[in-house]
Amino acid sequence: MTNRAYPPSICPGIPRLGKCPCGWTRRTFGQILRVVERPAAIEDDTEYQLVNAKRNRGGIVARERLKGREIKTKDQYIVRAGDFLIANRQIIHGACGIVPLALDGALVSGEYTVLHAKDGLSLQWFTAFTHTPYFQLTCFHSSIGVDVEKMVFKLALWLKHTLHVPPIHEQRKIAEILSAWDEAITQNSSLITEAKRRKKSIAQKILSGKRRLPGASGKWKGMRIGAFANCLAGGTPRTSVSEYWGGGIRWMNSGELNLKKVTEVEGRITELGLRNSNATMLPLNCVLIGLAGQGKTRGTVAMNLLSLCTNQSIAAILPSSVFDPEYLYHNLDSRYEEIRRLSTGDGGRGGLNLSIIKALHVPLPNVDEQRAIAAVLTTADEEIKLLEAKCAALERQKKGLMQKLLTGEVRVSI
């Protein structure tokens, strides 16, 4: 199997353990876990809760509730709070976790392996251990199949793999430390959610004129973008001509719209490539909109804070004296779903074009009020950005600490 066949969660290689830390023991998975089977007698008129293991260690979550007659696969098993579940066809993608109290008594099919801790194992510690590259590799090398999405987990093979297990009191302390980091990350994520909700609420009011900022006056004008700004799409030099690529001119692809405020891009083309394509150098502070694609890119709005050119899947609204670019950016960014629905093609899944962009109606106060509105929303964006950066830092720090704690590189004080 080539490295490209590995799922993103797997680093190609053979699972190998290093030296066992002092006081820890080398055990097999089979020595610390036992398989539990609780066959369920399915009755047609009884309603049952089904559960699912999310990928990337997203935990065990509720699926639908079904009457017994609606459950097609009658090979079902009861799970209890505290059970550790492995999705046999998804474990290489990290589909595993502990059953929460709220799902006690739910059902899983025979496509799952239900495990319980033997004496001397904390499942909270073991759940943290499942995030390690070593655990992921053991699952991958215990699965067989040609297609990554259809590989089947072989429990008997996996149970023979070994791991280093700390004493139970050390396991609990490690789990406690990592749980504190999880709580900090969760709290910060809640702050991000609240900041986004607050910004959305403010944007709805001040971008519509329902709420005017202090000192604002005058009537707003409703204008179509094509009436107050020039719009153009970019272009792509022929990829088969090497002389067109690798120069000093920044060239932006539509995937980079997710940067929102664009301060750098990866692509570079030459002067020759620019002259022999539809790409056009853009001034600073154009409002950029994704035109194509069924993913999230179509309708995504950004601004270029440096001079560049773009591919043909991006429309650029050039600056003018009639509008403040930051204001227009926030206006269109708040209308993401509306703009996507304007797409051409079957059910609006095709794409946008310059005619659609030019026809977009924008409420315009005077430029001074536009700038004031943009300043409020930009401040809200900066708050969200800071919170997101903090959350990313917490995630990185936890990941680094986890690797050290779970390998014994750093020992905890009991």
Side-chain angles (χ1 to χ4, degrees):
M1 181 175 290
T2 65
N3 289 354
R4 285 175 296 178
Y6 285 76
S9 60
I10 297 295
C11 297
I14 302 297
R16 290 190 177 93
L17 284 173
K19 183 179 178 181
C20 187
C22 180
W24 293 23
T25 56
R26 179 172 291 210
R27 311 287 293 276
T28 65
F29 288 114
Q31 289 174 323
I32 62 172
L33 296 162
R34 60 185 175 87
V35 179
V36 179
E37 292 187 350
R38 308 183 190 94
I42 305 298
E43 298 179 355
D44 286 351
D45 294 326
T46 301
E47 187 176 70
Y48 299 93
Q49 175 67 65
L50 305 182
V51 300
N52 184 40
K54 296 182 69 175
R55 288 186 174 195
N56 300 317
R57 286 149 202 88
I60 307 303
V61 297
R63 285 176 58 195
E64 65 266 88
R65 295 184 67 91
L66 297 176
K67 294 281 190 181
R69 67 172 63 89
E70 298 172 317
I71 300 176
K72 296 180 181 179
T73 303
K74 303 302 180 183
D75 178 26
Q76 298 287 329
Y77 296 85
I78 300 169
V79 296
R80 294 298 180 192
D83 284 347
F84 189 83
L85 297 191
I86 287 177
N88 295 334
R89 294 184 184 274
Q90 295 291 320
I91 184 57
I92 64 171
H93 299 288
C96 60
I98 295 178
V99 177
L101 183 61
L103 295 176
D104 183 73
L107 300 184
V108 292
S109 72
E111 291 293 320
Y112 281 81
T113 295
V114 184
L115 299 164
H116 207 274
K118 293 183 179 180
D119 290 342
L121 177 68
S122 161
L123 273 181
Q124 285 70 31
W125 174 86
F126 184 74
T127 299
F129 180 78
T130 65
H131 289 258
T132 64
Y134 177 79
F135 174 84
Q136 297 169 33
L137 280 170
T138 64
C139 294
F140 184 73
H141 285 275
S142 301
S143 303
I144 62 171
V146 177
D147 189 326
V148 166
E149 293 298 328
K150 297 180 181 179
M151 294 181 75
V152 178
F153 182 62
K154 294 298 182 181
L155 178 67
L157 291 176
W158 181 74
L159 290 174
K160 295 177 182 178
H161 280 285
T162 57
L163 72 161
H164 294 150
V165 182
I168 185 65
H169 56 277
E170 193 169 350
Q171 293 178 43
R172 290 170 179 156
K173 186 64 176 179
I174 291 171
E176 179 184 330
I177 292 170
L178 295 177
S179 178
W181 280 86
D182 285 335
E183 184 176 348
I185 291 168
T186 298
Q187 289 177 351
N188 199 80
S189 297
S190 297
L191 292 176
I192 293 171
T193 299
E194 174 58 22
K196 288 181 176 179
R197 184 206 62 77
R198 188 165 57 248
K199 183 211 168 182
K200 183 178 180 180
S201 175
I202 294 171
Q204 288 174 340
K205 294 173 183 176
I206 64 176
L207 287 172
S208 64
K210 293 179 180 178
R211 173 180 166 187
R212 303 291 290 273
L213 297 179
S217 62
K219 292 184 178 181
W220 289 28
K221 297 178 181 179
M223 299 179 68
R224 300 190 183 278
I225 289 176
F228 64 80
N230 292 323
C231 304
L232 54 85
T236 302
R238 289 173 58 185
T239 56
S240 59
V241 181
S242 61
E243 290 80 7
Y244 293 169
W245 297 90
I249 298 173
R250 291 180 174 85
W251 179 84
M252 179 179 173
N253 67 63
S254 55
E256 292 170 312
L257 288 165
N258 292 317
L259 298 171
K260 307 303 282 183
K261 298 297 179 70
V262 182
T263 57
E264 188 52 277
V265 295
E266 291 186 6
R268 294 291 189 274
I269 63 174
T270 63
E271 288 283 354
L272 189 62
L274 181 66
R275 290 198 303 268
N276 288 277
S277 71
N278 290 327
T280 302
M281 288 303 300
L282 300 176
L284 276 63
N285 298 325
C286 293
V287 178
L288 311 174
I289 304 178
L291 297 177
Q294 295 185 22
K296 294 183 179 180
T297 300
R298 175 168 44 93
T300 297
V301 180
M303 280 185 65
N304 63 308
L305 304 187
L306 74 174
S307 184
L308 48 70
C309 56
T310 74
N311 70 8
Q312 64 276 10
S313 295
I314 298 176
I317 303 171
L318 305 184
S320 81
S321 60
V322 178
F323 73 97
D324 175 69
E326 286 270 1
Y327 170 82
L328 184 61
Y329 162 82
H330 285 294
N331 180 282
L332 298 179
D333 187 48
S334 71
R335 298 163 63 183
Y336 172 74
E337 294 296 341
E338 173 197 342
I339 292 171
R340 284 175 65 83
R341 288 193 294 269
L342 298 174
S343 300
T344 60
D346 182 20
R349 294 193 298 269
L352 300 166
N353 55 49
L354 290 181
S355 295
I356 293 173
I357 301 302
K358 291 177 181 178
L360 284 171
H361 187 275
V362 178
L364 290 177
N366 63 59
V367 175
D368 287 340
E369 188 173 356
Q370 290 180 39
R371 289 174 181 150
I373 290 171
V376 171
L377 298 178
T378 297
T379 300
D381 279 342
E382 289 171 352
E383 177 192 5
I384 293 168
K385 188 175 180 179
L386 286 172
L387 289 170
E388 289 175 336
K390 180 180 178 181
C391 198
L394 288 171
E395 292 278 9
R396 288 193 303 271
Q397 292 163 8
K398 181 204 166 187
K399 184 177 180 181
L401 179 62
M402 180 185 293
Q403 178 65 20
K404 289 179 170 63
L405 289 175
L406 295 174
T407 59
E409 181 181 343
V410 170
R411 303 298 292 270
V412 297
S413 175
I414 308 300

